[in-house]
Amino acid sequence: MGNTKNFLENYECKGNTLKIVKFPHTVLAQKAQEVTVFDDSLVELCRDMLFTMYHAPGVGLAAPQVGKSIRLFVMDAEFEREKVIMPDDSEVYRLSNFHPQVLINPILKDMEGSIIGQEGCLSVPGIQEDVERYEKLTVEYQDMFGEHHVMEASEYLAIVIQHEYDHLDGLVFLDRLNFFKKKMLKKQLMKKGKKA
Ligand code: CO
């Protein structure tokens, strides 16, 4: 594994762009499987998921969103994205201040409080809705090498973790909305999906 081992500490935002699956793809509705093998291909997947997330852009990306039904997500709630106008008037985005995180086989604990924030999802393009979540939680998880960690999160970070965790249980944020809103938005997306 060598130099892949610490690519998170010396993060260079390199990788391949993966295809993000869109609702109502069936993989988004499946309960994902535990990760049991921690090998080079897992590290490569994490690297590519982070690259894909940063360029989408998004603050989180779960493995089912790239067609892999395993309990893994990546996130970065802090990176910056700045629009730069090139001499030929084209626009590019400069990404900086990376704090990539990889959470494998996460378990949420000690949830408390309540917070409402606007959420969107790379797999549910074009829709943003207020969702109620726990305000504070603890997450136990493994890193790319199988080592166990514990993280406490609140507010925005707690929202991101709950949103991504839901993907591992086959839920999208629409499932957290009230019955009528959920039904209406899902119907709308099904229609769009059929046309595409
Ligand atoms: Co999502």
Side-chain angles (χ1 to χ4, degrees), residues 62-102:
Q65 292 182 274
V66 294
K68 307 253 185 225
S69 195
I70 55 172
R71 302 189 78 77
L72 178 169
F73 64 79
V74 300
M75 64 176 188
D76 186 344
E78 293 176 73
F79 80 101
E80 285 159 35
R81 183 170 176 268
E82 181 197 359
K83 193 196 269 184
V84 181
I85 313 283
M86 301 302 279
D88 66 352
D89 276 350
S90 65
E91 293 172 354
V92 295
Y93 288 90
R94 190 174 294 148
L95 305 172
S96 61
N97 194 30
F98 299 113
H99 293 85
Q101 286 183 300
V102 173

Side-chain angles (χ1 to χ4, degrees), residues 60 65 120-124 163-164 167 172-173:
Q65 292 182 274
C121 180
L122 295 172
S123 295
V124 190
H163 177 115
E164 299 311 325
H167 279 300
V172 294
F173 73 100

